[in-house]
Amino acid sequence: MKLIIPAFDQHYRVSATDYNWTNPGEILTIGTDDAFVGLDSRRYTTHGRVTALDGTRADVNAKIISLLTQDGFYVPGRERQSTETRRRMGEVFGLARGFEVGTVIGLHRGRPRRHDAPPN
């Protein structure tokens, strides 16, 4: 499945406003209008890379529920929060839609946008 992971490490920046405090290889979702957030670390980065990861939707769903529980948006046993969980699930899988594996993307006003990859 195609998902977004951090594109750069903590030592590489394209511009002075770039940052990456996430763990290498963790799955990202939208954190703010201009930054992704890691599902495991709950830390932010400005760029993600589309990658094909092994795993199941159930694994990703468990990570999303964990993130939402820690942030207080999900309380086990409540029926109405399934809408938020489904929205976040669609967001995680939808971020990579329309981009090829290896594409570096950033967020602009909460929307994914292609970013030129850094020189090697």
Side-chain angles (χ1 to χ4, degrees):
M1 73 183 97
K2 287 192 326 185
L3 297 169
I4 307 296
I5 63 169
F8 312 125
D9 66 22
Q10 290 85 350
H11 306 291
Y12 184 87
R13 296 183 340 179
V14 175
S15 74
T17 59
D18 290 339
Y19 51 88
N20 178 25
W21 300 310
T22 59
N23 296 329
E26 78 176 303
I27 298 168
L28 303 175
T29 189
I30 296 174
T32 66
D33 279 348
D34 61 356
F36 298 102
V37 65
L39 292 182
D40 295 323
S41 68
R42 297 176 55 211
R43 292 187 239 149
Y44 293 85
T45 185
T46 51
H47 291 92
R49 180 181 310 278
V50 178
T51 190
L53 291 178
D54 293 331
T56 65
R57 291 178 85 83
D59 294 338
V60 177
N61 193 31
K63 290 178 184 282
I64 293 168
I65 288 172
S66 175
L67 176 72
L68 294 173
T69 300
Q70 291 174 17
D71 289 343
F73 293 110
Y74 186 92
V75 179
R78 278 199 190 157
E79 186 59 36
R80 70 186 261 278
Q81 65 217 349
S82 61
T83 302
E84 176 69 10
T85 304
R86 281 192 307 270
R87 185 184 74 74
R88 285 293 193 155
M89 189 78 159
E91 183 177 273
V92 168
F93 290 108
L95 281 172
R97 190 174 297 129
F99 297 102
E100 294 179 18
V101 171
T103 304
V104 175
I105 63 173
L107 291 174
H108 179 71
R109 297 184 181 170
R111 301 259 190 219
R113 182 167 70 175
R114 182 183 177 93
H115 190 280
D116 291 331
N120 289 331

